[in-house]
Amino acid sequence: GFLNNLLVTPIVKEVEQITSTIIETLPTEQEYLKGKATVKYCNDEVREMGINENDTIAIDPFGGLTFWLNEKEYWWLRTNEVFAKYE
């Protein structure tokens, strides 16, 4: 149902930035870790699984709906797209 959803933010993949005094470096597009996200808002069902806000979770990398709010990217997931919590 519609109440079995949660809001997560993607985790940015750390990329080594090469710097140079001769060549101007251009900003690169952010890459996200596949199958991993941080919980921002959750429902009672995932709380019963021991998952709370700000937890890092394993998710279906092909699930969810992407949307932007105040220039920040979020993913709207169904509870069944959550696989595990990272400790």
Side-chain angles (χ1 to χ4, degrees):
F2 293 107
L3 298 176
N4 295 333
N5 298 300
L6 65 155
L7 189 64
V8 300
T9 54
I11 298 174
V12 177
K13 185 183 212 180
E14 292 186 25
V15 179
E16 184 178 336
Q17 184 75 26
I18 300 172
T19 57
S20 171
T21 56
I22 300 170
I23 302 171
E24 183 178 337
T25 56
L26 300 173
T28 57
E29 187 174 320
Q30 288 185 335
E31 289 186 44
Y32 301 121
L33 294 176
K34 290 191 186 299
K36 207 172 191 182
T38 303
V39 177
K40 288 300 162 194
Y41 301 100
C42 59
N43 60 52
D44 290 338
E45 188 175 346
V46 292
R47 279 193 184 96
E48 289 173 8
M49 293 189 286
I51 296 171
N52 297 294
E53 281 80 7
N54 298 313
D55 285 344
T56 301
I57 56 173
I59 61 171
D60 180 351
F62 302 106
L65 172 70
T66 301
F67 70 96
W68 294 83
L69 181 62
N70 295 330
E71 300 181 16
K72 185 161 175 130
E73 184 173 352
Y74 294 91
W75 297 341
W76 186 254
L77 301 173
R78 291 181 293 242
T79 300
N80 65 357
E81 295 172 321
V82 176
F83 299 142
K85 172 183 166 181
Y86 289 95
E87 294 290 334

